[in-house]
Structures are given as structure tokens and as C-alpha cells.
Amino acid sequence: MRRETQNVLLILLGGALVKIAVNGDYLRYVKPAQQPWIIAGGVVMLVLGAVAILRDLVTARAAAKAAALEPTAAGHGGHEGHDGHEHVDDGHGHAHTARSAWLLVVPVLAVFLVAPPALGADSVTRTTARVPQSAATTSAAAFPPLPAGKVVELAMNEVVTRAGWDSNGTMNGRTIGMSGFVVHEGSTTLLARLVISCCAADAAPVTVHLKGGAADRFPSDTWLKVTGQVVPGTANENNSYTPDFVPATVERIAAPKDPYEY
């Protein structure tokens, strides 16, 4: 790859990293704690690319002055330039190779201009829902009573963990509020969230089974806020720790800026 292509890629990739870190699109890929590192990495790439371009311009100008003062015989075909790279002028396919290298700019531009959507229903249907590994070693005493209130707002990760491992039944009879996206599996309607440890590559779903048909009309990937009660004893290893949930209210909401749980 020629130096010009490398420098342009550095500038574009660095700019893309800074852009998604500033506008929040990075949350589709990694945890919020990674934002400073993404910004730092993008800034380093921008600086390296800018310094390399300036250095090449200075070198080219110095070479032009030297050539004007001390002309040399023109070579034939490919020859070494002042930057140590072979010039693409021999007519034997090198020009095609150089053009192909510029195609590497396309995926970088795609990230820069269009942020891919966050993982959704398709990821859930292709991955077995599971409770976080840490829950397997959590004792019932580790689940404190829920706070007072008519509706207790909980992350779905906590709802599934308590449903599968809290033998004290702290959610029994309590009205729980949570949000997630719809997943249809045959005749079953699930509400799901994806839990990540570091980045989207390690995302694992947690799900609840919405009973009663109140959410059946919503298409997959629709974000809902629901309130209702968990049916005790319905989350176990046989159903991948997916408790039954009887909704009292179902409200369609916009997808959150940060779609994952941690």
C-alpha cells in the first residue's frame, strides 16, 4: 500500500473514531467506559496521519528542489522514488494494484458516514438466552429486598437474575417496570435486552416471556416499556432462565441511545 493511501486511511479512521465517540454511536459497539480510549485512539491516528502527510510534502518539495539543481537521467519502467516506494508507471498491472488499495477507504467511509444499527432480535434468536455467569455463584442473601413503591424499575438483567436465583422471592407480588425490544419466536413473544461485558462481540441476551398477548401486535425490534409481575418459579435451566411476565401496561418507546445492559 502506498504512503498516500496509508495516510488517508489514518485520517479517515481517526476522524471516524472521534465522531462516533462524540455523538454517542460508540455505544453500539462498546461500554460507556471505553469512550476516553476511543477518543484518544482517534486523536492519535489523526495526529499521525497529519504528521505523515506534512513530512511527505516537505520531502517531496526538497526532492523537487534537488532535482532542479542536479537533474538525473530519466529511468524506464518502475523505479525507486525519494520516499523509497516504487512508482506505478511500468504498465504491468501496478496501477491496478494501487487503485485496489484505495478500495480500503470504502469501509472506513462507511463507518464515518453511516453507523450500523445496534444488535437486535436476530442476535437473540441465534443465541441461547442465559443468566449472567456471576449469578450462578450468587447466594440468595445477596438479593436485598426491593425498594418500596407501586412500580419498581429494574434492569432486565436484574429481573432475570432474581427470577432464576433469588430463593427469597423478593419479586413475588411486586409490580416491576422494565424496557426492552420485542422478539418473536414462533407463537412466543419475548422482551429482550443484550448484556455485554466489554463490547458487542460478547453480547448475550436476557429475555422474559410476555404472557397475555398484549405485546403480540408489535413487530420484532420494537422497543417497549412494560409494567407487570413475574410469575414465580418460571425461570430455570430448561427454558434458558426466561421467566414468564404478565404485563399490566405496555407502551411503545424510542430505542435508547445506549441499547445494552452491563
Side-chain angles (χ1 to χ4, degrees):
M1 185 188 300
R2 294 176 63 111
R3 287 186 59 86
E4 294 89 343
T5 309
Q6 294 175 352
N7 296 338
V8 171
L9 282 173
L10 272 176
I11 293 290
L12 288 176
L13 186 55
L17 289 176
V18 172
K19 174 178 178 286
I20 65 174
V22 170
N23 68 13
D25 285 343
Y26 78 99
L27 293 171
R28 302 178 183 184
Y29 313 104
V30 297
K31 298 173 66 172
Q34 304 299 323
Q35 185 186 35
W37 299 105
I38 297 173
I39 293 176
V43 170
V44 168
M45 288 184 179
L46 286 170
V47 171
L48 289 176
V51 170
I53 289 174
L54 290 174
R55 184 182 63 183
D56 288 348
L57 289 174
V58 171
T59 301
R61 182 173 296 180
K65 288 181 179 179
L69 295 174
E70 196 174 331
T72 58
H76 299 281
H79 60 279
E80 291 291 321
H82 290 279
D83 60 0
H85 293 270
E86 186 178 357
H87 289 198
V88 186
D89 59 0
D90 64 359
H92 295 290
H94 289 81
H96 174 73
T97 302
R99 287 194 298 269
S100 298
W102 279 99
L103 293 177
L104 294 173
V105 175
V106 175
V108 179
L109 280 175
V111 174
F112 192 89
L113 299 174
V114 181
L119 300 177
D122 184 60
S123 298
V124 175
T125 57
R126 290 185 288 106
T127 308
T128 302
R130 62 178 175 84
V131 81
Q133 292 181 355
S134 59
T137 58
T138 302
S139 66
F143 298 104
L146 296 179
K150 185 176 180 181
V151 178
V152 181
E153 300 290 339
L154 294 177
M156 189 178 298
N157 190 25
E158 183 173 358
V159 171
V160 173
T161 302
R162 284 179 179 261
W165 299 95
D166 179 16
S167 60
N168 292 329
T170 54
M171 292 192 300
N172 294 355
R174 300 299 303 274
T175 300
I176 306 299
M178 58 184 168
S179 61
F181 56 88
V182 174
V183 178
H184 292 291
E185 287 190 338
S187 59
T188 300
T189 300
L190 305 174
L191 195 68
R193 291 296 290 263
L194 289 160
V195 181
I196 66 175
S197 300
C198 175
C199 61
D202 61 32
V206 287
T207 55
V208 299
H209 176 206
L210 298 178
K211 304 286 287 184
D216 292 354
R217 68 183 186 277
F218 296 102
S220 289
D221 288 318
T222 302
W223 278 84
L224 301 178
K225 179 177 177 57
V226 300
T227 64
Q229 294 189 4
V230 174
V231 179
T234 55
N236 53 65
E237 187 175 2
N238 294 330
N239 62 11
S240 300
Y241 297 99
T242 299
D244 289 346
F245 187 84
V246 181
T249 64
V250 176
E251 177 188 359
R252 185 169 187 165
I253 60 173
K257 189 69 175 178
D258 184 359
Y260 303 116
E261 292 186 355
Y262 310 99

